[in-house]
């Protein structure tokens, strides 16, 4: 196990016992969105004026934008005036009193993932006596990082302490005008992480929002900005394997990555938001914009994602390959069961010379799940000798699910070499029987075969994340066959 | 150990086994021989519980239990092992992962504690020697990219690890060159024991030069038409299968 | 929206002006289907790049000036037809000038009993009943304004009907010559091919230009294959630079019917093809292939859609393109497996060879699968000449230019070699090689 994460886990564990308590100012905005809401949000964090102006400009543009409808997903229109854009954490009396009030299925999942009882309570939104204080964990962590010059802090803090970095890079990869949800996020983002790795520094630990509980209230309009300066390296983990209850149905996050010359960013996600029940009631709409820019020669950005949660997932972690010899990678596992819908993939835009990209996508559809891969490989005229290899495989379980592949390939330079392959097939009866003959139950056999199908992606994940992801896949597929 | 009585099996409505009876005692090695299409593989698959075979009458009892009512994984946990004629490739699933899962499932079934990673590794390393396989086989995906001979050796290796009470080897000799055949046979012989029965399903007598059976049965048109000792196999080699069909026809008439 | 409407408006007006003179006018079902199509054309207008299916193809070159629908009575000289014949091809032939059947130029004598090869207008006038029911049945939902336009004007074209059990030993060639009426005319041929149970035939649909006149050819072919029928169909497109061709191919296959359809685009025209194949009953098989060249400032867009609507159908699709100069090619292949279509087996591939710095390819293979027991695969590649192969040929003494041409031809040959009859295959091969050696225009070599 990675030592950094281990230490973190220990820290997290200790805090429970010691029990820090924080005071939270209770304040909630009524539903609705106008300029005053944005001024309130900005004021709440005492943001510099340029951020407020940026938000307001984004809001202006957003008002003229239309909600996209091209994705292969179906849902009722969202009323953006019915959402409250700022709500303080729930008060104890509004929360469930004990685990008895929680959906037993959720608890079963927690037990299978081996989550401690106290954590289960917190995840389920129960008022726990011990209030977890994330700030002190982060502080301990931050001191270590500060020694080598790495900045890892909430975005609001970065705005106050490092405005020059924020001003230079915020919105430089995903401009507010990029798409409808990115526009909305730019206007109303509440919190998120900021990372800056200085020249030549190899960040010694996986940076992570992987505090199971801490991640709970990061809000529905998260914004992450990661900058890797020349020759640096950073690996960032986002997400949580435990299915979290969340009152916010719409999540519209933005993640921006900037890798300068010779820098490398590895960004891994395990997304397991509440998918809704078997009939498709409830569940999170996860509409995320994630994009990285390789701004210098030999830069590399690698996205790895395991998407098992949410009712609807709509995300395309992308890479702009601007520097010569820069590299983009996208490794994805997306699973849809019951009534889940996923439309996910990537965009690789080849701009510099000798740029290369790799896309490995594994889609698994079960139940009535609809799973679409949508990808764009674009080779601009300037991108001499660009290369792309894409492989998209789909596995089907059950006769009511769907698997769809929509790759777009646009090539304007004749020296490009592009290969795209895709296959779709049913889970192998012969494979299932073979495993069962060796003594595995049908469910274990399915889980094992599916995990094998995803191996190329899992091996890109940091070790302990990969183990959890495998477990998660097994749990998410329960009842899919038989 | 295994008692099959008057077993009748159809596939897609077509009768394949027509009243087959067979009694295999503990520690015995039986060879089942017969021409193509005589029902040899069907018998192996029915014992292991593969879908698509309809048992229309008869019974199969294994150590006193009704085998036919059990799920394939329960049969495996009870100690029934099938060495597949065509071992399937499972991309991304390591050989060792499958075996560990299978072995521990059987141990749980028997109420024994699971083996931890270290003990398990020790066990499989030892068993690898039996079939002269390199340790890298453990981490490779199940049968993926294996040569025909490697696949067959892998089957015997799995048998060695799972230590079944009844092993059915379905055409394990097919497609093997002489060296590989000797290795596989050596592995099987090493696994012979008083409390383990083995059924060798084969088309050729060649395998029986290396694994000497206690009994030989000839299967034709879905039933056993002749039983004897190993000399029967030699007879077959000399005279071919032609006379068997005549015998089967005579038996039916 | 208003811009789109205005592009369609002149055509809507033109249709209204001549609706009463269209063949079979007054037949209620026909009048109705024409006016429904007209309504769609008026409402939806002509496609724009905002439509996902037209993302990479702009129709601006077409809408720059309006085209007038050609009127019957136009002719095409015997010499021209003889001069553009496919060498050594022994076939029955219908000839069309700007979409109108020319009976005096056609050769249909000796057709076996139970086979009808005729002009559609003539058939509609003579006995519309049996035709009207089938007309439009393979199109289904109107894919875009051009198909609606064709359906609103539906009049002349070819009717091929083969009775059950009949097997034709000779192919039927449908030759369409556009630009016969002069500058700025629109032709709207509509072809209906009906093969009865167990029948077999080969059809060549060939499009050429009369001269250098600017013309728009909006052609639509419907194919209806009954049980066990087998159709070998090839569409050869070899039009001139100022010709715009919008082609539709819509096929419906019944139980165990087999279709092989190959579309070869070798001309200099602006081309957009839509092919849709519905596999409606078990055992149906479709082979949908294509080869396209895009040189000069050519634009070639192939949109295909195979829908597996029943279990146990198979489809194979392979499109290959060679792009040079400022050529722009688009491929969009869609395979849909409907919920009940278990045991579907489908493969699709699109391969492109880019020969020049200014060529552009946009390719979009697409699988939509709603059944679980299926085997589907698709692939797309974009690449250049294999340098190792090139070096091999050069090292054997072949000059570089010839070596390049040989390899390019070999690339396209995978598709062309499956085309029958052989006379057509060699015709296409020689046109491909002609296009690949720009210094020597086709025919000039001798």
């Amino acid at each position: 196990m990675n030592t950094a994460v281990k230490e973190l886990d220990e820290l997290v564990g200790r805090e429970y016992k010691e029990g820090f308590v924080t005071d939270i100012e209770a304040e909630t905005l009524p539903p609705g969105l106008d300029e005053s809401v944005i001024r309130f949000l900005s004021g709440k964090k005492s943001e510099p004026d340029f951020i407020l102006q940026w938000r307001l400009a984004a809001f202006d543009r957003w008002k003229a934008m239309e909600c996209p409808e091209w994705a292969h997903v179906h849902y009722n229109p969202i009323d953006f005036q019915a959402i409250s854009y700022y709500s303080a954490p729930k008060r104890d009396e509004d929360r469930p009193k004990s685990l008895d009030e929680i959906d037993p299925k959720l608890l079963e999942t927690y037990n299978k993932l081996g989550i401690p009882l106290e954590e289960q309570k917190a995840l389920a939104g129960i008022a726990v006596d011990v209030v977890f204080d994330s700030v002190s964990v982060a502080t301990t962590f931050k001191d270590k990082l500060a020694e080598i010059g790495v900045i890892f802090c909430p975005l609001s803090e970065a705005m106050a302490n490092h405005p020059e970095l924020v001003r230079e890079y915020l919105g430089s990869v995903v401009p507010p005008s990029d798409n409808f949800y990115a526009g909305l996020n730019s206007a109303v983002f509440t919190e998120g992480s900021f990372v800056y790795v200085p020249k030549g520094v190899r960040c010694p630990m996986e940076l992570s929002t992987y505090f199971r509980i801490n991640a709970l209230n990061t809000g529905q309009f998260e914004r992450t900005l990661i900058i890797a300066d020349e020759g640096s390296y950073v690996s960032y983990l986002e997400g949580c394997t435990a299915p979290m209850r969340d009152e916010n149905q719409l999540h519209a996050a933005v993640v921006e990555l900037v890798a300068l010359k010779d820098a490398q960013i590895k960004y891994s996600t395990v997304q397991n938001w509440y998918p809704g029940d078997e009939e498709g009631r409830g569940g999170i709409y996860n509409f995320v914009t994630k994009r990285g820019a390789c701004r210098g020669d030999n830069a590399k950005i690698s996205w790895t994602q395991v998407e098992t949660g949410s009712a609807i997932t709509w995300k395309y972690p992308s890479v702009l390959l601007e520097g010569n010899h820069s590299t983009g990678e996208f490794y994805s596992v997306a699973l849809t069961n019951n009534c889940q819908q996923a439309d996910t993939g990537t965009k690789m835009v080849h701009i510099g010379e000798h740029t290369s990209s790799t896309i490995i996508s594994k889609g698994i559809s079960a139940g009535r799940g609809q799973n679409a891969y949508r990808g764009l490989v674009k080779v601009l005229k300037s991108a001499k000798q660009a290369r792309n290899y894409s492989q998209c495989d789909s596995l089907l379980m059950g006769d009511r699910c769907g698997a769809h592949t929509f790759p777009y390939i646009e090539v304007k330079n004749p020296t490009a070499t592009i290969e795209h392959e895709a296959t779709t097939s049913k889970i192998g009866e012969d494979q299932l029987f073979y495993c069962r003959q060796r003594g595995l139950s049908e469910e274990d056999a399915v889980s094992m075969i599916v995990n094998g199908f995803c191996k190329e992606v899992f091996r890109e994940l940091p070790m302990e994340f990969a183990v959890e992801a495998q477990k998660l896949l097994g749990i998410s597929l329960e009842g899919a066959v038989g | 150990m295994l008692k099959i009585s008057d077993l009748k099996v159809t596939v897609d409505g077509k009768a394949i086994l027509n009243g087959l009876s067979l009694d295999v005692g503990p520690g015995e090695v039986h060879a089942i021989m017969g021409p193509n299409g005589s029902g040899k593989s069907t018998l192996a698959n029915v014992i292991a519980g593969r879908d698509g075979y309809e048992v229309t009458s008869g019974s199969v009892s294994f150590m006193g239990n009704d085998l036919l009512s059990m799920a394939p994984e329960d049969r495996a946990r009870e100690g029934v092992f099938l060495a597949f004629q065509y071992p399937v490739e499972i991309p991304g699933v390591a050989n060792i992962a499958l075996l560990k899962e299978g072995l521990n499932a059987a141990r749980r079934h028997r109420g024994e504690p699971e083996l931890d990673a270290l003990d398990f590794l020790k066990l499989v390393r030892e068993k690898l020697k039996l079939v002269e396989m390199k340790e890298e086989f453990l981490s490779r995906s199940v049968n993926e990219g294996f040569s025909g001979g490697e696949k067959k050796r892998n089957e015997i290796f799995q048998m060695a690890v799972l230590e079944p009470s009844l092993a059915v080897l379905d055409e394990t000799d097919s497609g093997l060159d002489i060296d590989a055949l000797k290795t596989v046979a050596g592995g099987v012989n090493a696994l012979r024991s008083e409390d383990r029965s083995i059924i060798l399903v084969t088309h050729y007598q060649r395998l029986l030069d290396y694994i000497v059976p206690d009994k030989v049965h000839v299967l034709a048109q879905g039933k056993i038409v002749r039983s004897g000792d190993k000399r029967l196999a030699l007879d077959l080699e000399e005279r071919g299968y032609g006379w068997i069909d005549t015998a089967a026809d005579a038996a039916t008439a | 929206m208003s811009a789109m409407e205005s592009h369609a408006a002149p055509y809507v007006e033109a249709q209204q002006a001549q609706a009463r003179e269209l063949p079979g006018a007054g037949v209620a079902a026909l009048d109705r289907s024409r006016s429904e199509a007209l309504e769609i054309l008026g409402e939806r207008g002509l496609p724009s790049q905002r439509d996902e299916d037209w993302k990479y193809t702009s129709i601006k070159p077409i809408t720059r000036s309006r085209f007038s629908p050609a009127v019957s009575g136009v002719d095409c000289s015997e010499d021209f037809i003889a001069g553009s014949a496919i060498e050594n091809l022994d076939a029955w032939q219908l000839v069309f000038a700007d979409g109108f059947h020319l009976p005096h130029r056609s050769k249909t004598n000796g057709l076996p009993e139970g086979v009808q090869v005729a002009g559609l207008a003539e058939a509609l006038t003579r006995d519309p009943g049996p035709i009207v029911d089938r007309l439009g049945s393979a199109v289904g939902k109107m894919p875009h304004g051009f198909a609606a336009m064709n359906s609103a004007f539906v009049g002349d074209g070819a009717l091929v009907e083969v009775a059950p059990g009949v097997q034709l030993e000779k192919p039927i060639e449908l030759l369409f010559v556009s630009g016969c009426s002069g500058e700025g005319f629109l032709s709207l041929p509509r072809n209906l091919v009906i093969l009865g149970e167990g029948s077999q035939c080969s059809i060549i649909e060939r499009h050429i230009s009369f001269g250098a006149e600017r013309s728009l050819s909006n052609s639509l072919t419907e194919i209806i294959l009954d049980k066990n029928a087998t159709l070998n169909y090839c569409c050869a497109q070899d039009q001139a630079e100022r010709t715009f061709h919008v082609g539709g191919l819509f096929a419906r296959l019944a139980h165990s019917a087999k279709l092989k359809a190959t579309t070869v685009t070798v001309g200099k025209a602006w081309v957009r093809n839509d092919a849709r194949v519905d596999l409606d009953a078990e055992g149906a098989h479709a082979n949908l292939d294509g080869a396209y060249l895009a040189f000069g400032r050519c634009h070639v867009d192939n949109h295909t859609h195979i829908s597996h609507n029943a279990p146990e159908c198979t489809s194979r699709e392979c499109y290959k393109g060679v792009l040079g100069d400022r050529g722009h090619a688009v491929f969009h292949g869609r395979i849909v497996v409907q919920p009940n279509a278990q045991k579907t087996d489908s493969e699709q591939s699109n391969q492109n060879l880019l020969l020049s710095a200014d060529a552009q390819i946009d390719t979009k293979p697409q699988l939509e699968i709603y059944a679980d027991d299926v085997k589907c695969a698709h692939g797309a590649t974009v690449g250049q000449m294999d340098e190792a192969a090139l070096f091999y040929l050069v090292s054997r003494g072949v000059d570089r230019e010839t070596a390049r041409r040989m390899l390019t031809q070999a690339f396209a040959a995978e598709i062309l070699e499956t085309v029958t009859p052989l006379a057509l295959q060699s015709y296409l091969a020689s046109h491909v090689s002609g296009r690949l050696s720009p210094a020597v225009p086709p025919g000039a070599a001798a």
Side-chain angles (χ1 to χ4, degrees), chain A residues 373-415:
Chain A
Y373 166 80
R374 186 183 304 276
L376 169 68
V377 175
K378 188 170 190 158
V379 178
L380 300 191
K381 214 163 172 62
S382 53
K384 280 186 198 148
Q385 306 288 344
R387 293 191 148 268
N388 163 268
Y389 174 74
S390 307
Q391 191 184 332
C392 306
D393 298 320
S394 305
L395 196 62
L396 294 155
M397 282 182 273
D399 55 5
R400 289 180 304 167
C401 57
H404 318 295
T405 318
F406 306 101
Y408 294 63
I409 301 166
E410 304 175 10
V411 181
K412 288 198 169 87
N413 188 302
T415 58

Side-chain angles (χ1 to χ4, degrees), chain A residues 66 70 72 370 374 376 381 385 392 396-427, chain C residues 50 52 55-56 326 332 334 339 342-343 354-384:
Chain A
E66 279 172 38
W70 44 261
H72 200 90
Q370 295 292 329
R374 186 183 304 276
L376 169 68
K381 214 163 172 62
Q385 306 288 344
C392 306
L396 294 155
M397 282 182 273
D399 55 5
R400 289 180 304 167
C401 57
H404 318 295
T405 318
F406 306 101
Y408 294 63
I409 301 166
E410 304 175 10
V411 181
K412 288 198 169 87
N413 188 302
T415 58
T417 304
I418 311 294
E419 276 179 81
H420 168 92
E421 288 173 28
T423 63
T424 303
S425 58
K426 191 186 172 179
I427 190 162
Chain C
R50 291 172 61 112
E52 179 64 23
K55 189 176 157 78
Y56 300 113
R326 299 180 66 85
H332 180 189
R334 196 169 161 213
Q342 301 295 3
K343 309 266 180 219
L354 260 60
L355 300 178
S356 79
D358 295 310
Q360 182 182 336
I361 172 74
D362 296 301
T363 172
K364 210 182 135 193
Q366 183 171 322
L367 296 173
E368 279 175 67
I369 295 165
Y370 299 92
D372 71 328
D373 192 2
V374 301
K375 239 174 65 192
C376 294
H378 73 193
T381 60
V382 178
Q384 310 82 51

Side-chain angles (χ1 to χ4, degrees), chain A residues 24 31 54 149 163 168 179 202 300 423 426:
Chain A
I24 298 162
W54 191 76
E168 183 171 356
N179 69 70
R202 191 181 165 87
K300 178 175 176 182
T423 63
K426 191 186 172 179

Side-chain angles (χ1 to χ4, degrees), chain B residues 20-165:
Chain B
L20 182 143
S21 297
L22 180 67
D23 211 332
V24 181
E28 291 177 357
V29 174
H30 289 226
I32 297 191
M33 305 184 68
N36 289 330
S38 58
K40 301 189 302 284
S41 284
T42 297
L43 176 64
N45 283 317
V46 167
I47 292 172
R50 193 193 276 267
D51 272 350
Y53 298 87
E54 198 191 343
V55 176
T56 52
S57 76
S59 65
V60 180
S61 115
F62 173 64
M63 301 207 287
N65 297 321
D66 174 16
L67 198 64
L68 297 178
S69 66
M70 292 187 214
E73 57 268 37
D74 292 328
R75 301 182 196 202
R77 293 166 190 174
E78 285 284 335
V80 175
F81 179 89
L82 172 65
F84 286 74
Q85 184 181 4
Y86 305 109
V88 65
E89 299 189 3
I90 312 180
V93 174
N95 230 348
I96 190 168
L98 172 69
L99 271 180
K100 184 160 183 257
E101 216 33 68
L103 180 65
N104 279 331
R107 292 181 69 95
R108 282 195 300 272
H109 183 73
R110 294 192 295 258
E112 296 167 16
E114 295 185 16
L115 285 188
D116 64 23
L118 275 178
D119 287 340
F120 180 72
L121 201 61
K122 223 170 89 186
L123 173 77
V124 293
R125 278 189 178 142
E126 195 184 301
K127 303 291 186 187
L128 273 176
K129 291 181 202 147
L130 263 185
V131 282
E132 297 167 26
M133 284 164 81
K134 292 205 182 97
E135 207 171 311
E136 61 170 55
F137 265 82
L138 297 175
S139 52
R140 281 173 63 181
S141 293
V142 177
N143 295 320
E144 194 184 32
F146 285 26
S147 70
E150 285 173 335
K151 283 183 182 170
K152 296 299 173 83
R153 274 196 282 166
N154 193 27
E155 294 294 290
I156 301 307
F157 162 63
Q158 297 193 7
M159 170 179 163
V161 173
L162 295 172
E163 301 185 315
S165 309

